[in-house]
Amino acid sequence: AYDRTFAGMFLQGRKLEIDEEEVRAFRASMVEGIPSSGGLSVPEPLAAKWLDDSLPSEIIRPRCVVWPMTSATRKVPGWDGADQSSGEYFGGFAMEFLAEEGTGNKQTGKLRLIELAAKKGAIFVDASAELIEDGLGFDAQLEMAMKKSLSLGMDYYLLQGVGGGQPLGVLNSPGVISISKEVGQNADSLNYYNISKIYARMYPEGRNRAIWIANSTLLPSLLTDMTVAVGTGGAVVNVFSENNGQYNLLGRPLLLTPNLPVLGDANDIIFVDLQQYAMGLRREVKLEKSNIPGWTQDLVSYRILVRFDGQGTWSDVLSPRNGDDLGWCVGLEERA
């Protein structure tokens, strides 16, 4: 018996005579990053904890409907009943009245399938061996930075993703409505009439669940321009409030994020019922480190991988029997 590794053969002065199967096995070990070749996978429970720890700083994932994915795809059923203009609901249900001994008509609703397909998000980091050895609390600092980056990245793509290789974000999903600015409205401004019209176009069942999401650059306008006078010489009612850093607008929570555009750009503020957004989460969160890629530079490589998808569950805006079209997410057009 003797050492059959490349290193072992070299140290023993043996000629490198190995078959192709051994070559393939060695190459596979380099690609897969198993511990024997320098790769070290962080335990799965720790990976799951990292994902859970990022929840408090996220907006979309804690509030949408999250479907666990046990494979690369998952199909989610939904009703296809956006057109209610004729008085039919859920794609074909309508109440009818019957005379005594009358016969009712059988009705059929309409279902649609929503398919979620896991997309891979990744963060790659290289660090020198000296930094890891000498840096004060480097591992803890790296953990914090990667958690925060994961949180902001997932939130951004669940809001703004364009589909294809990304999730289909809230703002690009069907059923989203954009409210026009007021006639003569100043550029880069926000007023009470904008907010009241956004609120009015949320579908009725969603108003008690919906939240406001806005960019922080809207705060000055929210603090100064969200008042309305009641009658001639009457009291001024402020529809925006703050309590211990918690914001409310028209009685619903307001959350601030850098993942929406700045004041004056389209959708700098939205009113959204996130229960109408589906996210698929493939719980194969991988946190790994390896010295293989940077062996010649004495670098250690870290990476985090997460697979997920998301899209709105509506097929279109809701057209009620009477009145304007309604949506599950309502935004505001550009005020340039």
Side-chain angles (χ1 to χ4, degrees), residues 250-263:
L250 289 176
R252 297 301 304 155
L254 169 71
L255 303 177
L256 302 174
T257 177
N259 287 328
L260 286 181
V262 297
L263 175 64

Side-chain angles (χ1 to χ4, degrees), residues 1-12 14:
Y2 58 91
D3 191 345
R4 295 284 292 175
T5 65
F6 284 163
M9 291 178 182
F10 177 78
L11 290 173
Q12 295 172 37
R14 293 184 177 273

Side-chain angles (χ1 to χ4, degrees), residues 149-308:
S149 299
L150 176 70
S151 170
L152 288 171
M154 292 182 73
D155 238 21
Y156 177 82
Y157 287 105
L158 292 174
L159 270 172
Q160 303 273 11
V162 296
Q166 306 174 4
L168 188 62
V170 169
L171 294 176
N172 294 310
S173 294
V176 177
I177 288 177
S178 181
I179 300 299
S180 300
K181 65 181 180 180
E182 295 298 297
V183 176
Q185 182 172 347
N186 293 333
D188 298 335
S189 66
L190 179 73
N191 60 47
Y192 168 77
Y193 300 102
N194 299 146
I195 296 302
S196 62
K197 290 181 179 180
I198 291 174
Y199 185 85
R201 296 291 293 276
M202 172 61 63
Y203 79 108
E205 294 86 353
R207 290 193 189 112
N208 290 331
R209 290 193 300 261
I211 62 170
W212 299 91
I213 308 175
N215 189 285
S216 296
T217 55
L218 276 71
L219 264 180
S221 295
L222 290 167
L223 290 165
T224 58
D225 300 331
M226 292 299 109
T227 58
V228 56
V230 180
T232 303
V236 173
V237 176
N238 192 348
V239 298
F240 175 75
S241 62
E242 181 274 334
N243 183 28
N244 293 326
Q246 304 297 313
Y247 302 106
N248 277 272
L249 184 59
L250 289 176
R252 297 301 304 155
L254 169 71
L255 303 177
L256 302 174
T257 177
N259 287 328
L260 286 181
V262 297
L263 175 64
D265 290 346
N267 295 317
D268 51 359
I269 184 168
I270 60 175
F271 191 44
V272 55
D273 175 14
L274 289 172
Q275 288 293 297
Q276 308 308 309
Y277 188 79
M279 177 187 179
L281 186 58
R282 183 84 166 102
R283 281 274 182 179
E284 288 184 356
V285 183
K286 292 183 180 179
L287 302 168
E288 298 172 321
K289 68 178 180 181
S290 173
N291 64 352
I292 297 173
W295 180 264
T296 58
Q297 298 172 283
D298 199 18
L299 295 175
V300 176
S301 297
Y302 296 80
R303 72 179 185 180
I304 179 170
L305 303 174
V306 60
R307 297 174 65 198
F308 67 103

Side-chain angles (χ1 to χ4, degrees), residues 75-211:
K75 291 180 172 64
V76 179
W79 292 102
D80 190 2
D83 186 1
Q84 300 178 3
S85 58
S86 62
E88 293 184 344
Y89 305 95
F90 299 99
F93 297 147
M95 185 178 68
E96 61 180 350
F97 291 93
L98 302 178
E100 185 177 356
E101 298 184 358
T103 301
N105 296 308
K106 292 183 179 180
Q107 301 180 16
T108 304
K110 187 177 179 182
L111 286 168
R112 57 188 291 262
L113 276 179
I114 303 161
E115 184 168 351
L116 300 169
K119 278 80 173 176
K120 185 188 293 185
I123 299 173
F124 296 87
V125 179
D126 283 341
S128 69
E130 289 86 356
L131 177 59
I132 297 170
E133 293 170 1
D134 303 335
L136 182 61
F138 173 79
D139 285 341
Q141 294 181 47
L142 181 63
E143 178 180 338
M144 179 276 297
M146 293 185 78
K147 278 187 200 174
K148 187 67 174 178
S149 299
L150 176 70
S151 170
L152 288 171
M154 292 182 73
D155 238 21
Y156 177 82
Y157 287 105
L158 292 174
L159 270 172
Q160 303 273 11
V162 296
Q166 306 174 4
L168 188 62
V170 169
L171 294 176
N172 294 310
S173 294
V176 177
I177 288 177
S178 181
I179 300 299
S180 300
K181 65 181 180 180
E182 295 298 297
V183 176
Q185 182 172 347
N186 293 333
D188 298 335
S189 66
L190 179 73
N191 60 47
Y192 168 77
Y193 300 102
N194 299 146
I195 296 302
S196 62
K197 290 181 179 180
I198 291 174
Y199 185 85
R201 296 291 293 276
M202 172 61 63
Y203 79 108
E205 294 86 353
R207 290 193 189 112
N208 290 331
R209 290 193 300 261
I211 62 170

